[in-house]
Amino acid sequence: MDGNRRFARSHKIETVEGHNLGFEALARILEVCYKSGVKVVTVYAFSIENFKRSKYEVDALMEMAKVKLSQMAQHGDLMERYGACIRVLGQRELLRPDVLEAIDKAVDLTKNNGDAVLNVCFPYTSRDEITTAIRTTVEDYSKPLHQHARPFSQTRITQKIRSRNLTTSPPSTFVRASSPTPSNPSSVDDSISSSTTLHPESPPSDSREDTIYPDPEMITSETIADHLFTSNDPPLDLLIRTSGVKRLSDFMLWQCHKDTELFFLDVLWPEFDLWSFLPVLVEWQWRRKHADEKIMGNGLKSLKLR
């Protein structure tokens, strides 16, 4: 959703009005996406870096987000008609309480819609998402699995061996092996007596030995992906950037993979409409069909070689 401010400057209108027109463009594009069978749409509504803008603009964007989310969830029939739920991805602690209240209400009102998803990244950066995913992964792998003595731990085995040696050896042998023969007979009695106070069957527990943690060697890229904000979403097939800028700007860096198609369009977001979007969908479908045919052709060739 890039180009709102430039659109406002080029049309000599307030910056806030440019953002308002951007939200209207979003509603139009969602209609096209859901009609075309797209199940998950993710929009970059507000970057964490945007907090560096003027207080006037940031406050206006927050107020607009409250109003637009409420309209989409309550008054508009778009979400209901296509069975779409709203999810807001990002750092909630950076938002004001009144904005959080509006977000939670919109999410709650659409939570039972299960046919499609609208992800609103607000406030968000991809680096922050990846950092959060790594942090939560570390937290999960720092939690003990269970806390009871392991029957085959090194400490338990050592204690068992000592226990058997003590119970099978005669007392005199134990005294000679442990210390020289004392001149005072009472010392021998004391030595033997002290040996009988041992409890080899109940060794002292070592909390470090008894605690089992998840193996960090088991952490994979899938583990990190499972802790991302988009963990429940399908792979990213298509990413569109408007305004003629050819960079990702810290958006869904992890989710982009070898099969993700990137389109950089020379159109400002408020102007992005059906006629801008349809050629992208058609080209993406053609590329996907061509890729699938190539995979099938390679598969048939390998079968013939066999």
Side-chain angles (χ1 to χ4, degrees):
M1 296 171 61
D2 189 31
N4 295 336
R5 295 199 298 174
R6 273 172 283 175
F7 179 86
R9 285 196 298 267
S10 64
H11 288 75
K12 295 181 171 50
I13 60 177
E14 288 287 335
T15 300
V16 175
E17 183 59 25
H19 290 301
N20 187 54
L21 293 172
F23 272 102
E24 292 181 8
L26 172 61
R28 295 195 302 266
I29 295 303
L30 284 178
E31 182 93 27
V32 177
C33 288
Y34 294 145
K35 275 188 176 180
S36 303
V38 178
K39 297 299 182 183
V40 180
V41 178
T42 303
V43 296
Y44 201 177
F46 192 87
S47 168
I48 293 175
E49 299 297 322
N50 290 155
F51 282 111
K52 297 177 181 178
R53 295 181 180 179
S54 69
K55 186 178 184 302
Y56 171 76
E57 184 177 355
V58 171
D59 289 344
L61 284 170
M62 293 297 155
E63 290 298 322
M64 190 179 303
K66 287 168 53 179
V67 173
K68 297 300 182 181
L69 284 172
S70 298
Q71 288 177 350
M72 293 181 70
Q74 297 180 51
H75 309 299
D77 64 343
L78 181 64
M79 298 289 105
E80 189 68 29
R81 191 182 336 137
Y82 294 101
C85 65
I86 297 174
R87 297 191 312 191
V88 179
L89 315 181
Q91 292 301 335
R92 293 170 54 90
E93 64 270 16
L94 299 178
L95 298 173
R96 300 183 330 220
D98 59 325
V99 179
L100 283 176
E101 184 180 355
I103 287 173
D104 291 338
K105 190 172 183 179
V107 171
D108 187 65
L109 286 171
T110 61
K111 66 181 180 182
N112 294 323
N113 297 340
D115 296 331
V117 175
L118 170 61
N119 290 325
V120 182
C121 295
F122 179 91
Y124 169 95
T125 64
S126 187
R127 286 175 296 175
D128 179 77
E129 179 186 21
I130 295 170
T131 303
T132 302
I134 294 173
R135 185 186 303 116
T136 53
T137 300
V138 171
E139 289 174 357
D140 286 348
Y141 275 72
S142 299
K143 298 174 182 175
L145 295 176
H146 49 270
Q147 302 226 1
H148 60 77
R150 291 183 290 175
F152 299 107
S153 67
Q154 183 175 355
T155 301
R156 295 284 290 177
I157 293 172
T158 303
Q159 294 287 354
K160 282 289 184 181
I161 293 173
R162 289 175 179 172
S163 171
R164 290 183 179 179
N165 289 339
L166 288 171
T167 55
T168 57
S169 301
S172 59
T173 303
F174 173 82
V175 175
R176 287 198 301 270
S178 60
S179 61
T181 303
S183 58
N184 188 350
S186 63
S187 298
V188 178
D189 294 338
D190 292 341
S191 177
I192 297 174
S193 175
S194 66
S195 69
T196 60
T197 62
L198 296 176
H199 301 284
E201 292 298 330
S202 303
S205 62
D206 185 346
S207 60
R208 289 173 298 178
E209 282 288 337
D210 295 346
T211 305
I212 302 175
Y213 292 92
D215 185 359
E217 294 294 332
M218 300 300 293
I219 297 176
T220 64
S221 60
E222 287 78 13
T223 309
I224 304 299
D226 288 341
H227 289 79
L228 294 173
F229 299 147
T230 58
S231 59
N232 296 319
D233 295 337
L236 178 61
D237 291 323
L238 176 64
L239 189 146
I240 300 174
R241 173 74 186 265
T242 57
S243 77
V245 177
K246 296 182 179 179
R247 60 175 183 266
L248 297 181
S249 296
D250 213 350
F251 180 57
M252 302 194 83
L253 302 180
W254 183 284
Q255 290 83 350
C256 289
H257 53 86
K258 63 182 181 64
D259 295 322
T260 301
E261 297 285 353
L262 306 180
F263 287 84
F264 300 97
L265 306 181
D266 192 14
V267 58
L268 301 177
W269 177 253
E271 300 172 320
F272 189 54
D273 56 12
L274 175 65
W275 306 111
S276 304
F277 189 35
L278 276 181
V280 173
L281 283 179
V282 171
E283 183 173 351
W284 174 78
Q285 289 175 339
W286 181 86
R287 290 183 185 180
R288 179 53 57 90
K289 181 180 178 181
H290 181 70
D292 291 343
E293 290 175 349
K294 187 175 181 180
I295 292 172
M296 290 180 63
N298 292 336
L300 290 174
K301 285 181 181 179
S302 63
L303 286 174
K304 289 179 180 178
L305 290 174
R306 289 179 185 176

